[in-house]
Amino acid sequence: MAGKPGRKFQLNEKQLGYAMVAPALVLILLVVIWPIMLSGWNSLFDYRLNDPTKSERIMSESLNLEEYADNRYLVEQNVNELSEAYPEGEETFNETWAVVEEHHEELVAEDEMAASYQEVNSMLNDYEPITDDNLRIQSIDGSWGSDFEAAMDEQIEAVNSVQQQADGDIALEIGYLAAQLENLQGSVLSPNFVGLQNYTDYLSDGRTWTALTNTTFFTIVSVGAELIIGLGVALLINRTFKGRGIVRASVLVPWAIPTAVAAMMWSYLFDGQSGIVAHYMAAIGLISDPGSLLTTASGSMFSIIFADVWKTTPYMALLLLAGLQTIPNTQYEAAEVDGAGRVQKFFFVTLPLLKSAILVALLFRTLDAFRVFDLIYVLTGGGPANATESISVFAYKALFEQQNFGAGSALSVIVFVCVAIISFIFVKLLGSDLFPERAKK
Amino acid sequence: MLKNQAGIRFYIFLAIFVFLVMFPFIWIFLTSLKPQNELTSFAWFTSNATLESYASAITTRPLFRYMLNSFVVSGLTTVLSLLIASFTAYAVTRLPIRGKTLILGLVLASSMFPPIAILSPIFNFVTDTGLRNSYIGLVIPYITISLPLAIWILATFFQKIPWELEESAKLDGATPFQTYRQIILPLATPGIFTTAILVFVAAWNEYLFALAINTADAWRTIPVGISFYQSEYTVPWGDISAATVIVTIPIVILVLIFQRRIVSGLTSGSVKE
């Protein structure tokens, strides 16, 4: 719009400002804030993707109309075919259908339900997918649900006893009818709202505490080691020397490669049979045998911390080096005049002036370490026997390996709360140092 | 401290440090050249160097497809988040709007989010919209990582642009948006470029969302693809080291060319100047 003659709208600075921040705020709201709220909501349900009766979040007893209409149609077809093919069971089949019909009449006596049923049925006839959950899942009142379930139990039993007298293909067909009746019965969804039960379950489960302990241990030890080594390296290379470019590049490569790729590299280097690092460590007596690195609890924890320190110490050193370079030389000269030695200069000049740089680096590294997933998932998979499982890895396994979205969400909310507490502590420590002048203009 | 002159001991220390940092890469590269039957030997160099591991790495798995996927997803994420972030960063640093601290606080808070906390709702969303195993299905969650990062770094760069130029543009009758497009953006180009590199690397390295959302082999990104080279029964170390070398080369080139910019971007948010 800039530069065009006769522009229609011209925003003033303020309006333009709000218009410019709007897209980012809307996106953050949609892809960050809203999903975390949904996670919280999901965590209140016994919500499982791999169990059809629990694959929806339901507050009150409901009917899955898609399942219901679909299976009702299949039952009708099958009853008609079987009555002809197996006259001995005709009476039972007709009786079953009559019971289904009787309950159906009762269901569609309600106008709203009848209309929804019609709509779903015609969509199914046209092979249209039913994506509108408000249409697909209808809540049902009174005792219809339990009556229907009880009636279906009786009919399934009756059909099963007919099946036992039949044989061959017919028995198989009758078996299908029983299965369809079970599916029809399964379209009644009982509420799976469990309140805070997922949380109480996990907080009383030893595996959660093991995962939290592992995560905390990993975070403290690796970030601590990274800070100390990083600070040492930064102090040493904070001078003029030839070959800065090579050092800088070599330090950036571990930072730049994907953590998953680094984890694959280290799983080879730590391997009990062909790993060179395991081999050398055993040779100098650091570990009893090369195999113990990835097969024992302490060895595995050591391995992931070692790999993490290798990958992020260079980054830490860079951040601290940048902080060191902002300390004016005059400060050191003044300290020298006062008779300070190297150690005193470090403790009374360097550290205080580096405080905010250290805290900012610690904040980002601590949060990163606490969220650790890729490194552990690829390097040890959380093993052996969950000894290196971090809380994010545990949550991922609950969500995607067990397909348990309710319980997994509870775990991910727990991770979120921990991260929020850590950030809160750091932000308190840092105060306004976190917001450089930029926000204050 | 800058007056300290580097002595021979210093250079020895430096050489050891660089060697330790680079050792895994050196070893992986040497391994990738070894023939199958020498993979478990601890000899540094092989006398029968071969490229068979490379041939196997690119034929057993669609490695170049993974690279293409990573490239497209990271590229789209970078362009999209930079476009939106540059607006926000400009408004927050230069325009008289209210609630700047709140906006930056929100941005910072969302950069601290554990991705696992939003994984399942995002997964449901991309499943419902049929976006699993597509590029867009990954770009959407990657916005959560890249947008806060981009806003944060860009705001630092915009802050450094002198106000005088803007003032004179205003005096010449430029509208605020013209000032942004014709004064600020050209001046901020180096900063935007730096931010783009960092956002691109962050998207390139992402693992969790890529693992959960793009499960079809043809849609996997590099990190996920590499981690699936190992099967239940065998770990083809030759293939893995060759694949690692192939995917690391572009990163090494990127780092060699842009090292100064990367360092200035990494440190811009953490050091007050």
Side-chain angles (χ1 to χ4, degrees):
Chain A
M1 75 186 159
K4 275 187 196 142
R7 39 186 127 64
K8 285 211 177 94
F9 40 75
Q10 205 190 77
L11 301 169
N12 69 29
E13 284 197 333
K14 226 175 192 167
Q15 290 164 327
L16 180 71
Y18 291 121
M20 282 177 129
V21 292
L25 289 186
V26 169
L27 266 179
I28 287 178
L29 220 61
L30 281 181
V31 294
V32 183
I33 312 292
W34 178 237
I36 179 72
M37 288 165 76
L38 275 178
S39 272
W41 177 241
N42 290 349
S43 71
L44 303 177
F45 292 87
D46 183 12
Y47 170 35
R48 293 160 198 264
L49 290 193
N50 55 357
D51 180 346
T53 61
K54 287 176 175 166
S55 63
E56 305 290 340
R57 286 138 292 173
I58 290 158
M59 294 290 284
S60 65
E61 189 161 70
S62 304
L63 185 65
N64 183 336
L65 269 183
E66 185 182 11
E67 283 281 302
Y68 177 80
D70 205 19
N71 283 298
R72 188 174 169 273
Y73 170 78
L74 291 174
V75 168
E76 184 178 14
Q77 295 294 311
N78 227 343
V79 162
N80 288 339
E81 279 169 27
L82 280 173
S83 300
E84 272 179 41
Y86 189 66
E88 294 91 323
E90 192 180 353
E91 200 179 322
T92 315
F93 300 144
N94 284 336
E95 164 72 16
T96 300
W97 181 244
V99 172
V100 172
E101 275 299 275
E102 186 190 318
H103 283 89
H104 183 66
E105 293 301 327
E106 201 182 318
L107 183 73
V108 296
E110 206 186 327
D111 289 345
E112 207 180 313
M113 185 63 94
S116 303
Y117 177 78
Q118 279 300 326
E119 195 176 343
V120 168
N121 213 11
S122 65
M123 281 171 91
L124 283 176
N125 282 337
D126 300 341
Y127 300 103
E128 271 180 62
I130 298 165
T131 49
D132 180 5
D133 274 351
N134 289 331
L135 175 65
R136 202 158 62 95
I137 309 291
Q138 296 283 337
S139 68
I140 42 180
D141 313 319
S143 60
W144 188 87
S146 48
D147 289 352
F148 184 67
E149 279 181 323
M152 284 303 106
D153 270 339
E154 276 173 32
Q155 297 310 316
I156 291 166
E157 209 174 304
V159 170
N160 278 338
S161 63
V162 173
Q163 188 199 14
Q164 274 162 15
Q165 286 148 27
D167 45 31
D169 284 350
I170 288 292
L172 204 63
E173 292 288 327
I174 299 174
Y176 289 151
L177 178 62
Q180 285 153 1
L181 285 169
E182 268 170 44
N183 289 342
L184 189 62
Q185 186 185 32
S187 64
V188 177
L189 304 171
S190 39
N192 55 357
F193 182 83
V194 293
L196 295 176
Q197 202 198 321
N198 284 326
Y199 292 94
T200 52
D201 282 357
Y202 272 125
L203 291 177
S204 57
D205 177 359
R207 192 172 167 189
T208 314
W209 292 104
T210 310
L212 277 171
T213 317
N214 289 340
T215 314
T216 313
F217 181 79
F218 168 81
T219 305
I220 292 175
V221 175
S222 61
V223 175
E226 284 154 22
L227 178 67
I228 292 166
I229 304 173
L231 190 59
V233 172
L235 284 170
L236 272 167
I237 61 176
N238 183 25
R239 61 177 87 189
T240 46
F241 60 89
K242 292 201 180 77
R244 269 176 168 260
I246 296 170
V247 174
R248 191 165 44 203
S250 70
V251 146
L252 279 175
V253 174
W255 163 82
I257 64 161
T259 312
V261 174
M264 284 305 285
M265 286 171 47
W266 282 104
S267 71
Y268 173 58
L269 299 173
F270 286 144
D271 187 72
Q273 281 161 8
S274 44
I276 181 89
V277 172
H279 174 72
Y280 282 156
M281 279 183 176
I284 61 169
L286 214 61
I287 49 175
S288 54
D289 79 292
S292 66
L293 262 187
L294 289 179
T295 52
T296 63
S298 54
S300 306
M301 185 54 97
F302 171 81
S303 304
I304 54 173
I305 291 175
F306 192 91
D308 193 64
V309 169
W310 169 80
K311 185 158 174 15
T312 36
T313 301
Y315 167 74
M316 195 71 130
L318 274 181
L319 289 190
L320 296 174
L321 181 63
L324 281 177
Q325 286 170 345
T326 61
I327 300 177
N329 244 333
T330 50
Q331 296 270 4
Y332 290 108
E333 281 156 16
E336 258 166 50
V337 170
D338 292 342
R342 292 180 73 130
V343 179
Q344 281 165 315
K345 275 196 280 186
F346 174 73
F347 280 104
F348 296 108
V349 180
T350 312
L351 268 191
L353 287 171
L354 208 55
K355 187 187 146 221
S356 78
I358 290 179
L359 279 177
V360 172
L362 272 185
L363 165 68
F364 286 105
R365 275 303 306 141
T366 306
L367 290 179
D368 255 4
F370 200 85
R371 298 181 288 198
V372 61
F373 176 80
D374 331 8
L375 181 66
I376 293 177
Y377 192 76
V378 176
L379 187 49
T380 66
N386 302 337
T388 56
E389 191 173 68
S390 78
I391 190 80
S392 288
V393 173
F394 185 24
Y396 180 84
K397 286 180 181 167
L399 285 171
F400 287 94
E401 283 170 19
Q402 301 168 13
Q403 302 261 298
N404 194 338
F405 265 39
S409 297
L411 276 176
S412 46
V413 170
I414 293 175
V415 184
F416 171 70
V417 171
C418 293
V419 166
I421 293 172
I422 298 173
S423 332
F424 182 77
I425 295 172
F426 270 103
V427 170
K428 274 274 167 217
L429 283 176
L430 274 163
S432 61
D433 280 358
L434 203 50
F435 294 93
E437 273 60 54
R438 68 181 83 116
K440 292 169 189 160
K441 267 274 156 64
Chain B
M1 290 279 258
L2 286 173
K3 66 184 172 182
N4 290 0
Q5 264 313 312
I8 184 77
R9 286 211 334 245
F10 173 77
Y11 282 106
I12 293 173
F13 159 78
L14 212 60
I16 294 173
F17 175 70
V18 170
F19 175 76
L20 285 181
V21 170
M22 295 308 281
F23 173 74
F25 297 109
I26 299 169
W27 186 256
I28 293 287
F29 175 69
L30 292 174
T31 302
S32 71
L33 295 175
K34 290 178 182 171
Q36 267 310 308
N37 56 0
E38 285 180 37
L39 285 179
T40 49
S41 91
F42 297 114
W44 279 64
F45 300 99
T46 173
S47 42
N48 316 307
T50 163
L51 291 178
E52 67 182 33
S53 289
Y54 287 88
S56 170
I58 57 177
T59 47
T60 51
R61 294 266 177 181
L63 187 64
F64 292 116
R65 172 81 201 200
Y66 297 156
M67 290 178 86
L68 175 76
N69 294 344
S70 275
F71 190 79
V72 174
V73 171
S74 313
L76 279 176
T77 307
T78 308
V79 171
L80 208 70
S81 55
L82 248 72
L83 186 75
I84 300 167
S86 67
F87 285 155
T88 313
Y90 176 66
V92 169
T93 52
R94 297 305 240 229
L95 295 176
I97 56 166
R98 283 190 210 195
K100 288 181 179 183
T101 315
L102 193 73
I103 295 169
L104 278 177
L106 185 72
V107 168
L108 189 66
S110 37
S111 75
M112 295 173 180
F113 253 79
I116 189 85
I118 56 171
L119 178 61
S120 59
I122 297 266
F123 177 84
N124 278 343
F125 172 75
V126 293
T127 307
D128 291 346
T129 46
L131 288 173
R132 282 189 59 199
N133 297 317
S134 75
Y135 293 138
I136 301 298
L138 278 190
V139 171
I140 293 170
Y142 282 11
I143 294 288
T144 59
I145 301 163
S146 61
L147 190 61
L149 180 71
I151 295 175
W152 196 249
I153 304 172
L154 274 180
T156 328
F157 283 114
F158 282 5
Q159 190 64 45
K160 290 180 199 151
I161 297 170
W163 281 82
E164 292 77 17
L165 289 164
E166 252 180 299
E167 299 295 335
S168 56
K170 239 185 258 178
L171 286 179
D172 291 344
T175 66
F177 196 78
Q178 276 177 322
T179 318
Y180 166 75
R181 260 200 49 181
Q182 292 170 2
I183 308 289
I184 292 288
L185 275 192
L187 284 173
T189 310
I192 292 177
F193 193 72
T194 302
T195 316
I197 298 171
L198 295 185
V199 169
F200 189 88
V201 169
W204 183 275
N205 292 357
E206 203 285 333
Y207 186 73
L208 181 61
F209 286 113
L211 176 70
I213 291 171
N214 279 6
T215 45
D217 200 31
W219 293 98
R220 287 199 175 118
T221 58
I222 283 284
V224 181
I226 292 255
S227 73
F228 275 81
Y229 263 82
Q230 53 186 332
S231 68
E232 194 100 12
Y233 307 103
T234 57
V235 188
W237 292 123
D239 292 15
I240 292 173
S241 50
T244 305
V245 171
I246 295 173
V247 303
T248 308
I249 288 170
I251 296 170
V252 173
I253 294 173
L254 185 90
V255 164
L256 281 178
I257 300 176
F258 300 119
Q259 43 169 315
R260 276 172 194 284
R261 289 185 182 285
I262 295 174
V263 172
S264 80
L266 283 179
T267 53
S268 67
S270 65
V271 182
K272 285 212 279 186
E273 284 167 64

